[in-house]
Amino acid sequence: MFDTRKMHRRIVVFAVIVAFIVGGLPVSFSSSAISRKPPRTKANKMTSVAAAPVLFQAAAPTYDKLIQDDSSNNMLRFNSTTGQYLFSRCSDGFTLTGIGSVTKTGCVYKLTHNPLDRRVLASLDTCQKKGSASLQYPPGTSFLSITDRDTSNDPGLADSTPPQVSIDSPNGGEFIDTGSTFTINWNSQDDVAVTSQDVLISTNGGATFSTVAAGLTGGVSQYDWIAPASIDNQAVRARIIARDAACNTSRDDSDSNFTLWNPPASFSHSAEAPFYLEAGGFNAFIHLCNSSSSAIVAELAFRPPTGDATAGLPAQISLPPSTARKIKVSDYLTLGPSGETVEGSIRLRHNGPSDESVMAMIAVDKFGEEQSFTSPFVYAASMQSPQSSMQCSPLFYLGDQTHAYLALQNCRNYPVSVGVKLTYGTGQAATPNGSYYLPEIKMGGQRRVVIDLAGFKDELGGAEWGSIAVSAPAQSVAAHTVMKSSENRLAFSSPFLDPSLSSSTTKVGSALMFDYDSAIKSCVMICNMSTEERVVTASFETDNGVVIPSQQITLASGAQRLVELDSRQILAAGQSAMADVRLSYSGSGSDILAGAVSMSALESRAIAARFREPTAGDGRQLVTPFFRMDARTKGVVEIANLGGSAVRAGVSLKFANASVPEVTSELVSVGAGKTYALDLQEYLDQVPEGVAAEGCLMLLHNGPPGTVTATFTAIGDGNERGLESAFEGGPAFPVTGMMMFPGEGILQPGESTPVVLMTGGATGPFTFGASDGTIEPLPTSDPDVYGVTYTADDEEDGPETVTITVTSPTGGASVQVEIQKVKLDEIEAFNAQNASTEGRLNPDGVGTFRLTGKAAFPEVPLQVRFIKDHELNNFSNRCERGRLTQ
């Protein structure tokens, strides 16, 4: 039987043999033919590549003779029997191979090869130990010559192994400002020694390269390159050439292009968001809040994500004073057709007065409701001390189906080394507790690393809970931890903190969730960062008066303890509550860190609770860059008052949709040492139809600075959703500042509402006025709080929008109160059989009616007055809060 496979192999072998005989199989290369290692992934360049099937592979050529130039180290190797040769030029790695003819006369070997594209002539005297060679390429040119006066000291014959070289950064995707310094760093090694190295740059995607540094010694592994002043260029790559003493040469290029960027503005503040997910069902939105009184230009640089997506040039965002913006990440990526989930990081820069002028975070969810988490933009310059090399995430969780992802982003243009310590365990006896150090991580400039801690669970003794300490040069690395389970559809995050920035021995974690029906358990991890034993008291305050006993925890140096609070041991059936936990201890403020999460029994919902340390620097105005609510998602601001007297507090809602005017809540009273859950969903009535209720929040209070903390939490009506965003100290509320808080934003004609003014300390007299309706002074004894009672005019033809204005000798402010007047267009009535009664209503019978007006009826009781026999009969029915049909 005829074997086609065997015949095919014979044909291939024959063809290769013929190729060697005819023309000597000459192979010419430019500098691109320098020896390279196999391709690697962008992440770590260590992924193995499976080889394709090989039918025939010729043996590597061997050389027994060498002529090496005395000055340049250029060399010619050749085989005195077969005539195979290799020309090598050390300066740029040029190589040329072929097969010539060798003759021997006494001690003299002569090699010649004269095909159409070259002329090769070499002579080696083994007795006199000298030789010479020349290469004309193409013929007639003086391309390469070699003079070797002493062949006994040539290193090239014994060493034919080229060095290995690998670029760490820039390896693709970096944004390097023109005129700035970027440290190009790489690794090179050789079986003998690397003797010299060159650094080259290409500005055309690797087509050609120019040398920027030549002849670096073999021990050098980085070069500070000043990016040239030029227009934007997205096709830049770096190349490293490494040589040994034998002129063996290797190179490595950036895996993909990086960008020389000429920013349109000068940005003095920079933050990093190390982790987001997009596509594959995930939606990532950036929420920006300009909390300053200045117009700001912000820049977002989307680094190349992993997965099927590419990023373009940085985007410029204009932020008017005191405004919010929402940006969809995918609008700045080009997503591929695969639809797979992509993952990446984002740099934020702005030209505002301070870091905190622009607060920002990323909100991520899948299909709008599951696997929801937040990722903050971290300003390394203000979130870490210039002297501190450690930052900590006080909580991670590894369940059977839950992974913990540690994201690290190098904020600098130079390489850093990062150490990661995992302290695992709940601190309970007879359970796994201890520490584990990950291998040292070396990160090039602007590089990013994401580590799935689930891969180390065996090293953690099977422990599920723990904390993370990251060690790196001060203010160089932004870190974030996200726990995610696709099976249970939950996700939550744990930010990193610099312990050295803590100054208070009181810390507050808001938005702990308790619900009997879903058996939610709130878990608080408390970590002792000091070198001494610490006793920590954890006390709890709920929004509905449910009592949670305080606990006292003793922690040895470096120890941690998980406090678990079970809803079914705290609440009655059907009951729920929100709470905050307050930690107090003796010692230094930096001694204790803590994190918390509320998780349902089936792990289908998890809501993180971030701990805040109230300080006088917070002032009386707090800001968070994110809120979101709708008919299915409840928005709650939990306000904790740590002071010894009651405070008044209110929230301003600034919408990402700039066409929606700012909405202010009522001014609520929070008792001394108490917590208050302010429900923002009731203000949805003031948001126009079709407009998303999302943006940033500003909270103002009249307590002493450093006595109030707050957290916003978005809670879905299913078990999947839950996002939190802690308030931070915002811009100082000026003494001349004034903000007004109406009790009700929508009124019926004739109804009344309190309208309260809070000042920054200015004194009156204050004069209130209204464009329509009446106002009466409202007595108050609260500091910096002044109020009136406003009553809407009951006239049929009165205006629908009223402006209330207050003025003072030092400033002024105004707020609008919308009035919805009920002007009926139609009345429809139906009997018990749902048949129309032509608008007649029977107070003694069973029936229904529908009123159609020009606007939605406000959320107040509806009065219906019946007329019988042309006489007024005061039958009065008070209905539940309803609405007129639009």
Side-chain angles (χ1 to χ4, degrees):
M1 184 175 181
F2 185 78
D3 190 339
T4 56
R5 292 172 299 174
K6 186 180 296 184
M7 176 59 70
H8 178 67
R9 286 196 298 269
R10 289 172 179 168
I11 293 172
V12 172
V13 172
F14 176 76
V16 174
I17 294 173
V18 170
F20 271 91
I21 296 173
V22 180
L25 196 63
V27 182
S28 61
F29 298 88
S30 66
S31 61
S32 63
I34 303 172
S35 172
R36 286 195 79 180
K37 55 195 174 301
R40 299 140 302 172
T41 62
K42 292 180 183 178
N44 56 20
K45 294 193 170 187
M46 296 178 65
T47 301
S48 61
V49 179
V54 177
L55 296 176
F56 177 83
Q57 183 173 347
T62 59
Y63 309 107
D64 60 347
K65 303 302 178 186
L66 171 68
I67 306 171
Q68 189 161 12
D69 193 85
D70 295 332
S71 58
S72 67
N73 272 342
N74 296 336
M75 71 178 73
L76 171 68
R77 293 187 179 98
F78 67 92
N79 186 299
S80 60
T81 302
T82 66
Q84 290 178 282
Y85 64 85
L86 169 65
F87 259 107
S88 299
R89 182 168 59 196
C90 291
S91 61
D92 60 2
F94 170 86
T95 62
L96 186 70
T97 62
I99 300 177
S101 299
V102 178
T103 62
K104 180 184 179 186
T105 304
C107 297
V108 178
Y109 292 84
K110 288 191 176 182
L111 169 70
T112 59
H113 188 214
N114 300 311
L116 295 177
D117 65 335
R118 75 194 74 177
R119 295 288 184 269
V120 177
L121 177 62
S123 176
L124 172 64
D125 189 333
T126 58
C127 295
Q128 297 295 321
K129 294 186 169 59
K130 61 182 180 180
S132 63
S134 66
L135 168 64
Q136 296 180 16
Y137 182 65
T141 62
S142 177
F143 186 77
L144 187 64
S145 63
I146 296 173
T147 300
D148 190 352
R149 297 179 180 85
D150 184 1
T151 60
S152 64
N153 60 5
D154 294 342
L157 188 60
D159 181 7
S160 60
T161 303
Q164 293 295 299
V165 59
S166 173
I167 290 181
D168 188 11
S169 64
N171 200 37
E174 294 84 358
F175 294 98
I176 302 175
D177 289 348
T178 57
S180 68
T181 299
F182 189 95
T183 302
I184 301 172
N185 71 294
W186 66 91
N187 296 299
S188 60
Q189 58 184 6
D190 186 66
D191 58 340
V192 178
V194 176
T195 57
S196 69
Q197 302 176 100
D198 298 341
V199 180
L200 300 89
I201 293 292
S202 171
T203 56
N204 52 17
T208 59
F209 285 81
S210 300
T211 301
V212 296
L216 302 176
T217 62
V220 172
S221 61
Q222 59 186 46
Y223 175 78
D224 290 339
W225 173 57
I226 299 177
S230 65
I231 61 173
D232 302 332
N233 190 322
Q234 294 179 268
V236 190
R237 298 195 185 203
R239 169 176 289 176
I240 303 297
I241 296 176
R243 310 175 192 84
D244 61 17
C247 197
N248 298 301
T249 307
S250 289
R251 70 165 171 87
D252 188 33
D253 296 350
S254 303
D255 285 354
S256 59
N257 295 334
F258 59 91
T259 298
L260 288 182
W261 177 237
N262 188 13
S266 177
F267 300 114
S268 53
H269 309 281
S270 182
E272 298 281 353
F275 191 81
Y276 71 81
L277 297 173
E278 180 61 79
F282 283 98
N283 297 290
F285 293 95
I286 303 167
H287 292 263
L288 303 173
C289 180
N290 178 4
S291 59
S292 76
S293 57
S294 305
I296 292 176
V297 176
E299 178 191 83
L300 294 169
F302 299 81
R303 294 190 174 89
T306 60
D308 191 8
T310 57
L313 288 172
Q316 312 301 310
I317 311 296
S318 296
L319 299 174
S322 191
T323 56
R325 287 289 301 274
K326 174 190 174 184
I327 296 167
K328 185 169 175 54
V329 170
S330 63
D331 288 345
Y332 294 86
L333 302 177
T334 301
L335 300 176
S338 69
E340 65 182 14
T341 301
V342 298
E343 171 193 303
S345 63
I346 305 171
R347 183 185 69 190
L348 164 67
R349 302 193 296 185
H350 69 83
N351 63 353
S354 66
D355 280 356
E356 296 77 12
S357 297
V358 177
M359 296 183 178
M361 73 185 323
I362 301 175
V364 179
D365 56 41
K366 191 170 187 179
F367 303 127
E369 59 181 22
E370 62 182 76
Q371 297 185 61
S372 303
F373 65 91
T374 56
S375 185
F377 282 85
V378 179
Y379 289 94
S382 59
M383 299 301 290
Q384 287 184 260
S385 164
Q387 293 78 37
S388 176
S389 61
M390 184 177 70
Q391 51 185 313
C392 302
S393 173
L395 182 150
F396 72 81
Y397 174 70
L398 290 170
D400 292 338
Q401 306 294 338
T402 303
H403 294 246
Y405 297 94
L406 169 61
L408 303 170
Q409 174 68 57
N410 184 359
C411 309
R412 303 303 180 186
N413 280 354
Y414 50 80
V416 298
S417 295
V418 182
V420 177
K421 175 187 176 183
L422 306 179
T423 301
Y424 58 88
T426 63
Q428 299 294 336
T431 62
N433 296 282
S435 298
Y436 176 75
Y437 290 85
L438 272 60
E440 184 182 57
I441 302 167
K442 295 185 177 180
M443 303 178 67
Q446 299 190 23
R447 303 313 296 172
R448 173 176 172 269
V449 173
V450 177
I451 304 167
D452 185 359
L453 300 185
F456 301 94
K457 197 165 184 180
D458 289 343
E459 283 77 10
L460 308 184
E464 293 183 329
W465 296 92
S467 60
I468 308 170
V470 169
S471 299
Q475 300 181 347
S476 65
V477 172
H480 191 60
T481 305
V482 173
M483 276 57 65
K484 190 174 78 69
S485 170
S486 56
E487 292 82 0
N488 293 336
R489 302 192 297 175
L490 67 80
F492 65 97
S493 60
S494 178
F496 276 74
L497 307 169
D498 179 357
S500 69
L501 293 182
S502 296
S503 58
S504 172
T505 55
T506 297
K507 291 178 171 59
V508 182
S510 297
L512 293 183
M513 306 295 299
F514 295 92
D515 184 76
Y516 184 94
D517 294 340
S518 56
I520 286 181
K521 183 179 292 186
S522 289
C523 301
V524 182
M525 180 69 84
I526 307 172
C527 308
N528 182 5
M529 311 299 296
S530 76
T531 58
E532 300 178 5
E533 180 180 274
R534 289 289 177 260
V535 177
V536 181
T537 300
S539 58
F540 305 88
E541 287 291 333
T542 62
D543 64 335
N544 59 359
V546 171
V547 177
I548 303 177
S550 62
Q551 299 188 31
Q552 195 172 78
I553 300 106
T554 301
L555 294 172
S557 171
Q560 60 192 26
R561 179 72 58 82
L562 186 73
V563 177
E564 298 183 80
L565 304 167
D566 192 336
S567 291
R568 295 199 169 178
Q569 296 178 0
I570 296 172
L571 305 176
Q575 196 175 26
S576 63
M578 292 186 68
D580 63 51
V581 53
R582 305 169 188 193
L583 307 180
S584 58
Y585 50 94
S586 298
S588 170
S590 61
D591 291 347
I592 299 296
L593 292 181
V597 62
S598 301
M599 191 180 302
S600 62
L602 298 178
E603 297 188 4
S604 58
R605 168 189 278 175
I607 302 175
R610 179 183 170 188
F611 276 76
R612 283 278 292 119
E613 175 184 300
T615 65
D618 290 343
R620 289 175 45 196
Q621 186 166 247
L622 309 177
V623 181
T624 182
F626 168 76
F627 82 88
R628 184 174 72 194
M629 57 186 181
D630 53 39
R632 293 187 57 203
T633 304
K634 183 178 181 180
V636 178
V637 175
E638 187 174 12
I639 306 168
N641 177 14
L642 309 181
S645 58
V647 300
R648 302 289 295 276
V651 172
S652 168
L653 292 76
K654 298 182 181 296
F655 296 93
N657 188 321
S659 65
V660 179
E662 176 182 352
V663 171
T664 52
S665 74
E666 63 179 318
L667 202 64
V668 301
S669 181
V670 187
K674 299 298 182 180
T675 190
Y676 188 98
L678 176 60
D679 186 356
L680 298 185
Q681 200 167 30
E682 62 182 271
Y683 301 101
L684 278 174
D685 288 341
Q686 300 181 49
V687 182
E689 294 290 336
V691 176
E694 55 191 356
C696 70
L697 300 174
M698 293 189 176
L699 181 145
L700 190 66
H701 67 88
N702 70 336
T707 60
V708 173
T709 68
T711 297
F712 169 80
T713 306
I715 310 168
D717 60 4
N719 286 330
E720 298 84 11
R721 289 176 291 177
L723 290 170
E724 55 80 30
S725 180
F727 283 75
E728 305 284 353
F733 192 65
V735 173
T736 57
M738 305 169 69
M739 184 175 291
M740 299 181 70
F741 299 89
E744 294 285 348
I746 303 176
L747 299 176
Q748 289 187 89
E751 280 199 324
S752 300
T753 182
V755 178
V756 182
L757 169 73
M758 184 179 289
T759 74
T763 58
F766 296 100
T767 304
F768 289 83
S771 60
D772 189 71
T774 60
I775 54 175
E776 296 290 336
L778 185 67
T780 177
S781 59
D782 295 326
D784 300 323
V785 174
Y786 307 85
V788 296
T789 298
Y790 168 73
T791 302
D793 201 317
D794 201 13
E795 295 180 2
E796 180 75 15
D797 57 351
E800 297 173 11
T801 301
V802 174
T803 301
I804 301 175
T805 306
V806 61
T807 58
S808 73
T810 57
S814 65
V815 64
Q816 288 188 333
V817 180
E818 294 184 2
I819 301 172
Q820 303 294 339
K821 289 198 173 181
V822 181
K823 296 180 180 179
L824 295 180
D825 294 332
E826 184 180 9
I827 300 177
E828 297 175 272
F830 309 89
N831 58 24
Q833 289 74 40
N834 203 32
S836 174
T837 61
E838 298 181 353
R840 298 183 61 187
L841 307 179
N842 182 1
D844 300 319
V846 177
T848 59
F849 63 92
R850 180 168 61 243
L851 310 180
T852 304
K854 73 178 194 72
F857 197 79
E859 296 282 347
V860 293
L862 172 66
Q863 286 189 342
V864 180
R865 179 176 294 178
F866 292 95
I867 299 177
K868 184 178 182 181
D869 295 332
H870 302 288
E871 296 178 1
L872 291 178
N873 292 276
N874 293 325
F875 296 102
S876 180
N877 293 335
R878 295 183 65 85
C879 302
E880 295 297 324
R881 293 190 175 192
R883 286 186 174 276
L884 289 177
T885 303
Q886 291 280 7

